Amino acid sequence: MNERLLKKLRACFREKEYQFRSEKELCRLTGMYKEYEKEELHLALRELVKQGEIVLDANKKYLSSERAGAMRGRIQGGDKGFAFFIPENGTLPDLFIPGKALHGAMDGDIVLARKSVKSSASADEGEVLTLLDRKLKTLTGVFEGVNAGKTGFVTPKSHPFFGDVYIPFGKTAGAKTGDTVVVHITEYPVRGQGAEGDVTEILTAENALLIEEESILREADLPLSFPETVLKEADKNAKEDITPYLQTRADFTNLYTFTIDGADTRDIDDAISLETEGQNLALYVHIADVTHYVKQGSALDREAFTRGTSVYFPDRVLPMLPPALSNGACSLNEGENRLALSCKILFTASGAPIKSELTESVIRSNRRLTYGQVNEWLMEGRSTGCQLTDETLTKMNALAKALAKNRYERGSINLEVKESGIYYNDGVVTVCERKRGDGEKLIEEFMIAANEAVATFAEKSEIPFVYRVHESPAPEKLFTFSSFASALGLRASFGTDVSPAEFRDLLDSAEGQPYFRVLNSVMLRSMQKARYQSENVGHFGLASECYCHFTSPIRRYPDLMVHRVLKTVLRGGIAKAYHLKEACILAAAQSNVRERLADETERDVDDLYKTYYMSGFIGKEMPAIISGVTSFGVFAETADSCEGLIRPEELPKDIYEYQENTFALLGKKHEFRLGDEITIRVLRADLTARKVDFALVTQEETGGKIHKEFAPAPKEKREEKRVLAPKGAKGKHKKSSHAPKGKKRKYKRQG
């Protein structure tokens, strides 16, 4: 590609004269008349369209994306014949995209879109201008052979709107009818023509659950193994003798240090120490020095950048770095010297920060503690088996509580969102609520303190950096949340410049109410997603002026990039770090994409395991709480954090009206609202669709009794629930309503 021509055209499209011009007109304006010049111009224009910098409109005229009012974002939905456009700029409202305005774009695709210019269109209606990147490049499905198996069709598992995919001659990879296969899409459906693809793999696994999981991982296109060159480089670097660094780095091996992690954690990237300095407390947060082993531009670095993050599933981890580093040389294992980047923060006894400093160090963890051990000591008084450990933990806990109090007072929002613990052992799935104790909260406070200290240093030093930013809620979502909170009887009149403290105070006013947990959930939905960027704009949720991710470089690339910048400054001064500016911008953009993919895939796999688990309770009744209300039914969540849909036909006979702003389904005799406690019966569990259907158990069926206590029984009284095999079921549904916003829907539940 002619880079000089691209640069010239970018400059041209900033001028008014070059807007709404055909390719022929642009040839004249740029003085490119020869055939090879016209071809170069054609290719350059196509490249700028592909990059989203210019747009080719319906009249075959080119104009800048800015002039076209184009926004970059992704498509959500599409299986209903329409979709929504979610802008990358979270401050902009979502757009409703009718089917005809999608122009071939599908769920997850990255596109340029704009508000519709049609006079008949509603204010929130949009249209796709340019398809920038396809999300779905690979899918899984069931193969059906034709022509004696020489060709065939694949019916997708998770994309029914995609249609069957034709597999041409020689591209079946030997698949037989009924096989679950992986297909690489070579031609996408357009104008009534179906998709076409090549079979790249035939999936096999010991049970249906694992086959479905493999299907999810293939469709997400996550890297399942490391290239040989990356493994060799990791093995070589991991074998380095780090003893000489005791002479050139700060030697913290005699500092009493320990780690606190989950019992099954292998990639231990943070350790902590605490010392008293006069009336003050010195907290040390030691983070594995991953950049020592992952040099900029190396095969390891390129692979880590591509992956962006480690991805965690109930039965496996897809690490960002090979095990030789993630579980070996970089993991702060007990009793072993390790290279670290240590952040020392001096606090007053009341938790006010005095100063902080960063140091390249060598540390040795004295003990590997689990959250369970720490919680037993801090919350139940059961010793960890070491007096020094117990005493240090007690002091640390006091400091952590002081930090939490200070953070609360500045306005930080402490959302209490239910989390699931999903475990897979020897074919058995167990699901339970994951609760946070003082140990988890202690580590959280110390990591937040270190992240803020590092980000503040970067901000004051004006060095290139990767910040973790969280902007205030978009006005549209803020209004919806305000309406919901007001409907609960809460005072929730927020201005457009809402502060974190206002959200905090609202939560405080609802504490102890039945709807408290649901309010937390709806508040979370109203907020923007935190993201990475090279410019600091603060963190709304934490009420922090300056924040970054510094504490997990083994599993997050932005943390690794932060370390790279900091070490450059420590070794050569601020000026030496300026050459990393472009790398920080690229790292932030790539990390956002990979984080979103990892989150979506983890959520899909969690849903799969929960569906598998619930398949063992078909016909059973249990307490639940209404977790979602839509125009097509009511979602309910069990005590084990498993969610299912109660369809309209399973609700009592009535004429219902769906009120979107208040998340309520109101009938003449019955009403269903978020947070209501109900009793459900498990009807179906569809493993492929990852969906569970419930039926509402009425008071008449339970003899007038309903479950008033949603909290699970004490641990010693609870019977462990296990599922050995899924049961087949039918029924597919989605959790979000695709109705255009602001509309109410009525339907009658027939007897």
Side-chain angles (χ1 to χ4, degrees):
M1 185 57 63
N2 189 328
E3 292 296 331
R4 291 181 63 184
L5 179 56
L6 288 175
K7 186 176 181 180
K8 177 181 178 180
L9 288 175
R10 289 188 182 102
C12 288
F13 278 105
R14 296 191 191 103
E15 305 296 329
K16 184 177 180 180
E17 183 183 4
Y18 286 82
Q19 307 302 323
F20 298 99
R21 296 290 188 175
S22 66
E23 191 169 318
K24 184 176 181 180
E25 289 173 318
L26 289 170
C27 286
R28 177 178 56 79
L29 288 171
T30 55
M32 302 180 74
Y33 298 108
K34 297 179 180 179
E35 287 304 315
Y36 78 89
E37 290 177 330
K38 291 179 180 179
E39 181 62 22
E40 280 191 341
L41 179 65
H42 174 74
L43 293 175
L45 290 171
R46 285 182 58 183
E47 180 63 24
L48 291 179
V49 169
K50 183 179 177 181
Q51 293 177 10
E53 297 185 46
I54 63 174
V55 171
L56 180 63
D57 68 13
N59 297 317
K60 304 297 183 183
K61 304 281 188 179
Y62 290 95
L63 67 158
S64 69
S65 298
E66 183 180 1
R67 185 65 182 269
M71 301 170 282
R72 184 184 173 97
R74 64 186 172 87
I75 295 297
Q76 179 177 294
D79 55 331
K80 301 287 186 180
F82 54 85
F84 290 93
F85 169 74
I86 315 298
E88 282 187 356
N89 183 344
T91 63
L92 298 173
D94 301 349
L95 296 178
F96 171 75
I97 311 291
K100 291 183 178 180
L102 282 167
H103 301 308
M106 299 178 180
D107 182 51
D109 289 350
I110 303 300
V111 302
L112 283 183
R114 68 177 177 186
K115 287 189 175 183
S116 178
V117 295
K118 295 181 179 179
S119 58
S120 59
S122 60
D124 64 348
E125 189 173 313
E127 61 177 333
V128 171
L129 295 173
T130 306
L131 177 59
L132 300 178
D133 187 34
R134 291 281 191 187
K135 177 191 177 184
L136 187 64
K137 300 179 176 71
T138 300
L139 58 75
T140 59
V142 178
F143 179 79
E144 181 181 349
V146 296
N147 297 326
K150 296 178 181 179
T151 63
F153 292 88
V154 171
T155 302
K157 282 178 169 285
S158 303
H159 304 278
F161 60 94
F162 200 84
D164 288 353
V165 180
Y166 174 66
I167 309 298
F169 179 79
K171 301 297 182 179
T172 65
K176 298 177 181 178
T177 296
D179 284 347
T180 297
V181 299
V182 181
V183 178
H184 172 68
I185 304 301
T186 56
E187 298 288 341
Y188 288 85
V190 60
R191 296 185 183 90
Q193 288 187 333
E196 191 170 307
D198 304 339
V199 173
T200 59
E201 186 179 0
I202 301 171
L203 296 180
T204 58
E206 61 188 66
N207 59 42
L209 170 67
L210 297 183
I211 286 181
E212 294 297 335
E213 184 177 9
E214 293 295 339
S215 296
I216 293 171
L217 300 187
R218 297 308 193 282
E219 289 197 0
D221 201 21
L222 292 172
L224 303 179
S225 60
F226 288 96
E228 192 63 31
T229 54
V230 173
L231 291 172
K232 288 181 179 179
E233 185 179 321
D235 289 341
K236 178 184 176 182
N237 293 356
K239 293 175 182 175
E240 180 185 5
D241 179 12
I242 64 171
T243 305
Y245 293 105
L246 287 166
Q247 309 301 319
T248 58
R249 290 175 171 234
D251 183 358
F252 289 152
T253 55
N254 292 321
L255 195 63
Y256 190 67
T257 301
F258 49 73
T259 62
I260 306 175
D261 289 279
D264 56 351
T265 301
R266 294 183 180 180
D267 50 350
I268 304 173
D269 46 17
D270 59 88
I272 50 177
S273 312
L274 188 70
E275 290 197 324
T276 302
E277 294 187 5
Q279 299 296 314
N280 301 317
L281 294 169
L283 171 67
Y284 294 79
V285 177
H286 313 284
I287 307 300
D289 186 359
V290 176
T291 56
H292 177 83
Y293 300 95
V294 183
K295 304 298 184 185
Q296 185 175 15
S298 65
L300 266 171
D301 186 45
R302 292 193 300 272
E303 182 70 14
F305 176 85
T306 298
R307 292 178 176 235
T309 181
S310 296
V311 194
Y312 297 85
F313 306 108
D315 65 330
R316 73 189 83 180
V317 176
L318 300 180
M320 184 179 79
L321 299 172
L325 295 179
S326 60
N327 299 346
C330 293
S331 185
L332 307 183
N333 298 332
E334 179 180 330
E336 299 180 12
N337 286 359
R338 288 290 187 261
L339 301 182
L341 195 55
S342 297
C343 177
K344 176 186 176 183
I345 313 172
L346 193 64
F347 291 102
T348 65
S350 61
I354 299 171
K355 63 177 181 179
S356 63
E357 59 180 289
L358 289 162
T359 312
E360 292 184 67
S361 64
V362 181
I363 71 160
R364 180 166 58 245
S365 173
N366 299 90
R367 288 198 68 182
R368 180 181 189 246
L369 298 172
T370 67
Y371 287 122
Q373 289 175 296
V374 174
N375 288 333
E376 285 177 353
W377 166 244
L378 295 178
M379 302 173 73
E380 301 173 19
R382 295 170 60 184
S383 174
T384 62
C386 172
Q387 184 178 351
L388 179 56
T389 301
D390 292 348
E391 291 174 352
T392 304
L393 281 171
T394 300
K395 293 177 184 177
M396 285 181 169
N397 198 36
L399 175 60
K401 289 184 182 298
L403 295 177
K405 179 175 178 291
N406 295 341
R407 191 160 57 83
Y408 169 83
E409 289 176 348
R410 78 186 186 197
S412 183
I413 305 166
N414 294 321
L415 289 167
E416 295 185 18
V417 180
K418 200 172 183 180
E419 295 183 6
S420 298
I422 305 174
Y423 307 97
Y424 182 78
N425 293 297
D426 298 326
V428 177
V429 175
T430 306
V431 180
C432 60
E433 183 181 357
R434 180 185 290 137
K435 296 194 174 184
R436 296 170 65 249
D438 283 355
E440 288 89 347
K441 293 175 183 177
L442 183 154
I443 289 297
E444 179 182 47
E445 291 301 332
F446 288 178
M447 298 305 113
I448 289 175
N451 287 337
E452 287 187 329
V454 168
T456 300
F457 167 76
E459 174 80 356
K460 289 181 178 178
S461 302
E462 298 183 347
I463 55 177
F465 208 61
V466 179
Y467 293 95
R468 182 67 167 178
V469 302
H470 185 218
E471 292 159 304
S472 57
E476 184 182 55
K477 292 185 177 180
L478 186 62
F479 174 77
T480 300
F481 174 62
S482 178
S483 299
F484 170 72
S486 297
L488 294 174
L490 300 171
R491 298 182 64 181
S493 55
F494 303 122
T496 53
D497 57 345
V498 62
S499 70
E502 290 179 86
F503 271 28
R504 176 206 63 194
D505 292 343
L506 182 67
L507 284 179
D508 287 349
S509 69
E511 193 164 3
Q513 297 297 324
Y515 51 75
F516 177 68
R517 190 163 61 82
V518 175
L519 183 69
N520 274 265
S521 179
V522 178
M523 179 180 286
L524 180 62
R525 290 181 218 167
S526 75
M527 293 186 188
Q528 298 199 52
K529 181 172 172 53
R531 56 192 173 87
Y532 299 103
Q533 69 174 40
S534 59
E535 300 295 329
N536 176 43
V537 296
H539 195 292
F540 179 83
L542 293 173
S544 178
E545 295 181 358
C546 211
Y547 198 69
C548 73
H549 277 168
F550 160 75
T551 55
S552 297
I554 291 178
R555 62 184 179 89
R556 290 190 306 227
Y557 194 84
D559 303 52
L560 189 152
M561 193 68 221
V562 162
H563 279 232
R564 186 167 286 150
V565 172
L566 294 174
K567 285 180 64 177
T568 301
V569 172
L570 290 175
R571 293 180 176 185
I574 292 173
K576 293 288 185 181
Y578 290 150
H579 76 281
L580 293 171
K581 183 176 181 179
E582 185 67 23
C584 286
I585 294 172
L586 292 174
Q590 170 72 353
S591 298
N592 287 331
V593 172
R594 300 306 294 181
E595 179 186 41
R596 183 167 59 243
L597 176 62
D599 287 347
E600 290 172 352
T601 310
E602 287 174 347
R603 186 164 53 248
D604 286 345
V605 172
D606 284 355
D607 287 345
L608 172 68
Y609 273 78
K610 287 180 179 181
T611 304
Y612 186 99
Y613 173 74
M614 291 303 291
S615 69
F617 297 91
I618 303 297
K620 300 291 179 66
E621 295 178 7
M622 60 187 70
I625 188 170
I626 293 180
S627 57
V629 180
T630 74
S631 60
F632 51 82
V634 173
F635 284 90
E637 185 181 86
T638 68
D640 292 321
S641 303
C642 296
E643 194 172 57
L645 175 69
I646 305 172
R647 300 174 184 273
E649 58 267 27
E650 301 297 340
L651 296 174
K653 299 176 185 179
D654 210 336
I655 297 176
Y656 293 97
E657 182 180 275
Y658 169 51
Q659 294 190 346
E660 188 174 14
N661 289 340
T662 58
F663 301 96
L665 197 61
L666 305 180
K668 295 182 181 296
K669 300 177 183 178
H670 307 86
E671 63 180 47
F672 299 95
R673 299 179 183 274
L674 284 179
D676 287 352
E677 295 173 356
I678 59 175
T679 300
I680 60 92
R681 182 185 302 112
V682 183
L683 290 181
R684 291 177 288 271
D686 186 332
L687 203 61
T688 299
R690 306 188 290 275
K691 304 297 180 185
V692 179
D693 282 343
F694 293 154
L696 178 70
V697 179
T698 63
Q699 285 183 265
E700 289 78 9
E701 292 179 83
T702 58
K705 297 178 181 179
I706 59 173
H707 291 273
K708 287 295 184 183
E709 296 297 329
F710 181 66
K715 185 177 180 181
E716 63 273 12
K717 295 182 180 180
R718 294 184 70 198
E719 182 178 318
E720 188 179 44
K721 299 172 183 175
R722 294 185 163 199
V723 177
L724 296 177
K727 294 180 174 64
K730 296 181 180 180
K732 299 179 181 179
H733 52 75
K734 292 204 168 199
K735 184 175 175 181
S736 59
S737 169
H738 294 302
K741 298 180 180 180
K743 294 187 178 181
K744 297 179 180 178
R745 287 187 176 184
K746 289 185 179 181
Y747 58 82
K748 184 177 181 180
R749 157 69 173 98
Q750 300 287 339

